Amino acid sequence: MVHDTLSPDSASPAPPPSWTVSTRDRASSFAVLLVVAMIAAGVAAPFFVPRAALQDLFFILTMLTLAQCWNLLAGYAGLVSVGQQAFVGFGAYIMSAAVILSGLNPIVAIMLGGLAAMMLSVPTAFFVFRLHGAYFAIGTWVIAEVVRLSLAQWKALGGGTGTSLPSGITRDLPGARLAADWLSVRPAQAADMVCYWLALLLAFAAIGFAYRLLRSKQGLGLAAVRDNREAARSVGIDPNRIKFAVYLAAAFVTGLTGALIYLQKARISPDAAFSVTDWTAYVIFIVVIGGIGTIEGPIVGVIVFFILQKLFADYGSWYLLVLGLLGIAVMLFAPRGLWGLFTERTGLQLFPVRRILAGGPLTKTIKGGPHG
């Protein structure tokens, strides 16, 4: 009897080729280190920068958070809203009511403001989700005006003229007194430091939430709904459910941000809290010039916006004219925004969310063959 002997190579067949899906690259690994460094620098900033600079940083961080929320709606869910001021103002008013009328701790009041904004988004979504395109945008603005006019009748909070928070309310923020004692600063400056840290936490939480969502299966479904609603439905994705979830999340974070902004301002009025220019038009400008549909875009946009504001804010209507001209120029020559233009030239993405298919069968080029 003759036994066949198998060579080691033939005895253990090679495993079948496998495909892997990845969103990481070298730039994203570098971005992790960059984010950690930015968080450390941001936490330490109040110990080294003057109070005026700290207030500027607070403005940048809160506008960045609002921009990330709007970008999540418009850039990824296809929900172009011009009524986000409804959630800013409603969250701010609920926070003010909780502090003035109920005497709650400011941190608890901020959380209530965010939850109230999210609750407001439920009936809002019931109406505006029946609209599409420009009608959706107009519908969100109309609802924001209805909310503004309704709260302007709230006499306990000053009616149409608004009201101020109790004197020294920000001093009750956790850590404010501790910062004042340890750093030997005035209570008002210590309160600004705590508000800044809260804004820093909120901004990084918004960025982290958006990045985590877009890298998940739900984020892939969200992109599918944005690109082709009917095709997404055909593969088992419920467009209304996923858009509703994103709409609620954006309203919650927007409400938190509005509550924090007006806690720091210590005064609220309907016209200021529901300003379409401050809380929607500027936010849209930030996202558009930075790059809609990217996480990096609002970061670039808010920096450009802040620089322009510092340079031209004293020129009245010329300031708005410069913003408008810049917005038109970017839309004409860089439709994907400044970050999109940079990415096209360099291929660099700090927060990549696109899926990259890698692996599979290895192909060899044989000398003298068809590819030789």
Side-chain angles (χ1 to χ4, degrees):
M1 182 178 294
V2 178
H3 296 279
D4 294 333
T5 58
L6 298 177
S7 64
D9 293 335
S10 60
S12 55
S18 60
W19 295 94
T20 59
V21 178
S22 175
T23 57
R24 289 187 175 274
D25 55 18
R26 293 181 180 179
S28 61
S29 300
F30 170 75
V32 173
L33 299 178
L34 181 62
V35 168
V36 172
M38 290 179 63
I39 292 176
V43 171
F47 301 106
F48 304 102
V49 301
R51 185 181 180 187
L54 201 63
Q55 292 174 343
D56 288 339
L57 290 173
F58 177 85
F59 171 78
I60 291 173
L61 290 170
T62 51
M63 292 301 290
L64 174 59
T65 305
L66 295 177
Q68 289 289 354
C69 291
W70 191 87
N71 183 48
L72 188 62
L73 286 176
Y76 292 100
L79 301 172
V80 181
S81 169
V82 293
Q84 290 303 100
Q85 68 273 16
F87 304 121
V88 174
F90 196 70
Y93 259 91
I94 296 301
M95 179 277 300
S96 300
V99 170
I100 296 173
L101 304 180
S102 302
L104 292 181
N105 182 278
I107 298 296
V108 177
I110 290 174
M111 293 300 299
L112 283 178
L115 291 173
M118 185 174 66
M119 292 177 63
L120 175 66
S121 69
V122 175
T124 300
F126 177 78
F127 291 105
V128 298
F129 275 33
R130 298 171 182 268
L131 307 173
H132 300 283
Y135 298 102
F136 175 88
I138 295 172
T140 58
W141 174 76
V142 170
I143 288 177
E145 285 299 296
V146 170
V147 177
R148 180 184 70 85
L149 293 173
S150 300
L151 291 179
Q153 311 305 316
W154 199 347
K155 300 299 182 182
L157 293 181
T161 59
T163 188
S164 298
L165 297 180
S167 178
I169 189 64
T170 52
R171 299 174 190 176
D172 295 334
L173 286 169
R177 295 184 182 276
L178 188 63
D181 294 338
W182 281 14
L183 303 176
S184 300
V185 297
R186 291 180 299 174
Q189 184 175 354
D192 283 345
M193 295 171 66
V194 175
C195 286
Y196 162 79
W197 280 321
L198 291 174
L200 181 70
L201 175 63
L202 201 55
F204 278 103
I207 294 173
F209 170 76
Y211 187 49
R212 180 70 176 176
L213 172 64
L214 296 174
R215 285 169 52 87
S216 66
K217 293 182 179 179
Q218 291 75 17
L220 191 61
L222 186 63
V225 170
R226 176 198 60 191
D227 295 336
N228 192 317
R229 182 185 179 95
E230 296 305 321
R233 191 190 299 273
S234 68
V235 294
I237 299 173
D238 187 344
N240 290 331
R241 177 179 297 180
I242 195 167
K243 286 188 175 183
F244 181 72
V246 170
Y247 192 71
L248 260 65
F252 174 68
V253 178
T254 301
L256 286 177
T257 308
L260 179 59
I261 289 172
Y262 281 93
L263 177 66
Q264 197 265 350
K265 288 179 178 291
R267 177 168 178 80
I268 190 171
S269 67
D271 291 340
F274 292 90
S275 172
V276 66
T277 301
D278 292 342
W279 311 126
T280 298
Y282 287 161
V283 167
I284 294 175
F285 174 83
I286 288 170
V287 176
V288 168
I289 65 170
I292 190 170
T294 64
I295 295 177
E296 301 92 339
I299 299 174
V300 174
V302 76
I303 294 173
V304 174
F305 174 72
F306 176 75
I307 294 173
L308 291 175
Q309 187 184 58
K310 285 297 182 181
L311 292 176
F312 298 102
D314 295 334
Y315 292 93
S317 58
W318 287 99
Y319 165 58
L320 298 176
L321 180 62
V322 170
L323 292 183
L325 291 175
L326 179 60
I328 293 172
V330 170
M331 286 186 286
L332 287 176
F333 301 105
R336 295 179 58 194
L338 297 178
W339 181 259
L341 181 63
F342 175 78
T343 301
E344 288 178 359
R345 300 288 181 85
T346 64
L348 180 65
Q349 289 183 327
L350 298 180
F351 298 95
V353 294
R354 292 182 178 179
R355 272 69 177 177
I356 302 172
L357 190 62
L362 296 177
T363 58
K364 295 182 179 181
T365 302
I366 303 175
K367 188 175 181 179
H371 302 287

